[in-house]
Amino acid sequence: MSAVNALRNAPTTEPGLLRAGVLALLVHIAFIALMVFGLNWKAQEPEGMVVELWQDLSQPIQAQQVPEPPPPPPPPEQQPDPVKEPVKQEPAPEPIRVAPPPPKKPDIPLKQETQKPEPVKEIKPDPEDLKKKEQERIEAEKQAKEKAEAERIQREKEAQRKREQEAQAQREAQQAAARARVMSEVAKYKAMILAKIKSRIVMPPDLPGNPVTEFNVTLLPGGDILDVKLRRSSGYGVFDSAVERAIHLSRPLPLPPDPALFNEFRNLNVTVHYLE
Amino acid sequence: MNTVVTQDLSLLYLISSASLPVQLVMLILLLVSVLSWWFIFRKLFVIRDAMKQTDEFEDHFWRGADLNALHQRATSSRHSPGSMERIFAAGFGEFSKHPPGTDIQSVMESTRRAMQATYQREMDTLESHLSFLATVGSVSPYIGLLGTVWGIMNSFRSLSNVAQATIAHVAPGIAEALIATAMGLFAAIPAVIAYNRFASDTEKLSTRFESFMEELTNVLQRRIAE
């Protein structure tokens, strides 16, 4: 009887209560981790333009003040700041270095001159018609001399032309570099202007889609705004007027300190996308 | 620029900004899910052990071991018997309690009843908590759906104050509401799978027990007749 009772009471202790609990918790931790880290929960933000552009700003300010002198005239480039443009100084003196060689070059035609007469000398020993030959010889010599002269002149001309071409190529390269610098300057300031305007826009909420508005801004030297014209409406008056207000609010607009660049900014096209 | 679009839709943010009923639903679902996984693992271990012990005992029994020795081993306190072993011990114990010469019919009757009782008890423990898994599997999607419907209702109601409705207004609300459905499904799917698996396993075990009981009855009856 007691055996049966023992059997009946046979404790049904489950083996892995704790183990099962730990495993269950592990499953949930894994699932939550998957949800948190596996999915990209961030809505795709358009790039924070304000932040990026202000980062840009620090570079232009340094770069501006130093290279400012170069853009207008190429000549001063030989003297300017030795720190900034060691590379550009090198090309400049080169034309001078190239100049000295020409005096040496004539040497070569002279040598040829002496070499050419030699075959004529060999003919000399012939006894008959000395005079004629003498004359011929003199004539030949003259011709040779003339030829050599002509060749020399031609060579000199070629050399000069080469030098000129080189110099021009250099000038062109310098100009291109200057132009590129100017363009990057202009682009930087245009971006800064756009950023300043955008920072002052109070966006009307809840416009459907991504409307675009375009303004033509006429600037005065110094960054003052003369005129703002709507070039292309977005179709939402609220948005257009918000942008126009922002343009007026952001005067004076940042302009490069170099007045030569102002022409690039006289008539500005300001394009603003709603979602940006 | 558009504040709604650039909002951070992280999971924690969504959950913490959900309305109270939705948060409640999520909490319930989390608890249910943890519980159901706990039961899943418990049942997994229990049923695996039961199968192993049944295999071992059948092996012993049909290799022609002495019935008395088997009974000794089953009732000894050091050994924790499996389900089939307990059924055997109950039947054989009842059988050996009858003095020799008792009516065969009544001996076999009482033996069978003893085995039947133990069998019922064993099946009970094996099948315990299975109904919980079945409930979780069928109900938790609905609980999650309730949370989702509530959240979407809220986010649409907040639209009524806005002149121009955009998807950006509704999106966060719907996202947070859908988390409830996701949790409900996460609780339900494993529960249903586990329920089906465990139900078929216990079914198999129960047929094995039943056929063993029949066979043991035959063996004992032959023993009396001898």
Side-chain angles (χ1 to χ4, degrees):
Chain A
M1 213 38 207
S2 64
V4 175
N5 275 340
L7 264 182
R8 191 168 296 157
N9 297 339
T12 49
T13 41
E14 280 186 32
L17 272 185
L18 194 73
R19 194 153 54 116
V22 170
L23 280 172
L25 284 180
L26 272 183
V27 166
H28 285 81
I29 289 168
F31 179 69
I32 289 171
L34 188 82
M35 290 281 276
V36 172
F37 302 113
L39 290 179
N40 188 13
W41 289 92
K42 288 259 182 193
Q44 292 227 330
E45 291 176 35
E47 289 179 4
M49 62 196 178
V50 176
V51 175
E52 251 178 44
L53 287 171
W54 291 131
Q55 277 176 343
D56 257 5
L57 223 174
S58 60
Q59 293 166 349
I61 283 177
Q62 289 165 352
Q64 258 164 26
Q65 285 160 350
V66 185
E68 218 181 284
E77 238 159 4
Q78 283 169 355
Q79 321 151 345
D81 15 36
V83 190
K84 256 267 161 174
E85 284 168 291
V87 190
K88 256 154 220 165
Q89 263 183 338
E90 270 180 320
E94 254 175 57
I96 305 165
R97 256 180 242 154
V98 183
K104 281 178 201 165
K105 267 183 188 169
D107 283 7
I108 306 160
L110 279 177
K111 269 175 202 163
Q112 282 172 341
E113 220 178 329
T114 49
Q115 279 170 353
K116 267 177 190 171
E118 273 175 10
V120 186
K121 273 176 192 168
E122 281 172 15
I123 309 162
K124 231 201 272 178
D126 288 2
E128 297 165 36
D129 300 321
L130 266 174
K131 276 183 190 173
K132 269 192 184 175
K133 292 226 167 161
E134 191 87 359
Q135 277 182 346
E136 279 178 3
R137 195 184 61 110
I138 291 165
E139 272 183 6
E141 270 184 358
K142 262 187 195 169
Q143 278 181 349
K145 263 187 192 173
E146 276 173 7
K147 246 192 200 170
E149 192 77 44
E151 272 180 1
R152 204 191 54 149
I153 290 168
Q154 210 171 352
R155 245 172 243 173
E156 269 182 357
K157 270 185 190 166
E158 270 178 10
Q160 207 167 357
R161 215 184 304 144
K162 256 188 202 168
R163 256 176 281 135
E164 276 175 3
Q165 277 178 351
E166 278 176 1
Q168 199 171 356
Q170 266 180 354
R171 237 176 289 134
E172 274 174 4
Q174 281 175 354
Q175 279 176 353
R179 228 178 295 134
R181 229 176 299 130
V182 169
M183 287 315 286
S184 70
E185 270 303 81
V186 169
K188 258 173 213 160
Y189 274 93
K190 281 191 174 162
M192 278 165 65
I193 288 174
L194 202 59
K196 193 172 182 185
I197 290 173
K198 276 183 179 168
S199 70
R200 285 176 173 58
I201 298 179
V202 181
M203 278 292 180
D206 308 320
L207 294 190
N210 186 7
V212 181
T213 184
E214 212 177 313
F215 280 91
N216 193 319
V217 182
T218 313
L219 285 185
L220 289 176
D224 218 347
I225 295 167
L226 184 66
D227 189 22
V228 178
K229 260 186 239 145
L230 181 62
R231 271 189 82 202
R232 216 181 58 197
S233 168
S234 62
Y236 299 95
V238 207
F239 182 42
D240 292 346
S241 59
V243 174
E244 193 177 355
R245 235 175 292 131
I247 292 173
H248 281 297
L249 275 176
S250 50
R251 92 173 54 178
L253 293 175
L255 281 184
D258 179 15
L261 296 182
F262 176 68
N263 270 344
E264 300 280 348
F265 294 89
R266 196 177 293 282
N267 272 307
L268 265 186
N269 275 339
V270 177
T271 309
V272 180
H273 296 255
Y274 180 66
L275 295 178
E276 232 178 62
Chain B
M1 208 140 275
N2 194 330
T3 50
V4 181
V5 169
T6 55
Q7 221 166 37
D8 172 25
L9 290 183
S10 82
L11 183 66
L12 290 179
Y13 172 80
L14 284 181
I15 291 177
S16 62
S17 68
S19 60
L20 190 68
V22 179
Q23 277 178 336
L24 261 181
V25 163
M26 286 181 193
L27 188 69
I28 291 172
L29 284 175
L30 187 70
L31 287 180
V32 162
S33 173
V34 170
L35 261 185
S36 85
W37 273 95
W38 189 43
F39 285 136
I40 287 171
F41 282 117
R42 276 171 63 181
K43 289 268 76 136
L44 197 69
F45 297 147
V46 166
I47 289 180
R48 207 179 50 193
D49 284 0
M51 287 231 177
K52 214 170 70 189
Q53 283 167 334
T54 307
D55 283 348
E56 270 170 21
F57 181 75
E58 272 192 326
D59 205 36
H60 263 278
F61 185 82
W62 292 116
R63 224 180 265 162
D66 179 28
L67 291 185
N68 282 312
L70 277 176
H71 185 243
Q72 281 285 319
R73 187 164 170 267
T75 49
S76 80
S77 55
R78 267 168 291 141
H79 176 70
S80 68
S83 302
M84 194 180 260
E85 207 165 356
R86 276 200 285 268
I87 293 171
F88 163 78
F92 191 76
E94 184 63 32
F95 174 78
S96 52
K97 248 177 260 160
H98 290 279
T102 331
D103 178 33
I104 292 183
Q105 280 299 319
S106 64
V107 170
M108 289 328 292
E109 257 327 282
S110 63
T111 306
R112 190 179 264 280
R113 271 198 300 271
M115 285 197 291
Q116 195 70 35
T118 314
Y119 162 78
Q120 298 286 6
R121 220 175 296 129
E122 290 303 320
M123 286 319 292
D124 234 30
T125 50
L126 273 183
E127 281 172 351
S128 67
H129 306 311
L130 273 191
S131 64
F132 177 79
L133 286 184
T135 312
V136 169
S138 55
V139 168
S140 67
Y142 295 122
I143 302 178
L145 199 62
L146 177 70
T148 298
V149 168
W150 190 275
I152 289 180
M153 249 161 56
N154 266 355
S155 67
F156 273 119
R157 231 182 25 189
S158 67
L159 265 191
S160 59
N161 310 327
V162 183
Q164 272 176 317
T166 60
I167 191 87
H169 262 102
V170 219
I174 293 180
E176 97 190 9
L178 285 177
I179 290 178
T181 305
M183 290 175 76
L185 291 178
F186 175 71
I189 293 171
V192 171
I193 293 175
Y195 173 78
N196 286 335
R197 159 95 194 274
F198 295 153
S200 84
D201 280 356
T202 48
E203 189 62 32
K204 263 185 230 154
L205 278 176
S206 107
T207 49
R208 271 171 90 175
F209 293 162
E210 272 170 356
S211 47
F212 172 76
M213 277 155 56
E214 300 299 322
E215 281 157 355
L216 184 62
T217 317
N218 279 344
V219 168
L220 292 178
Q221 202 161 4
R222 242 179 285 136
R223 212 176 141 112
I224 292 179
E226 275 170 13

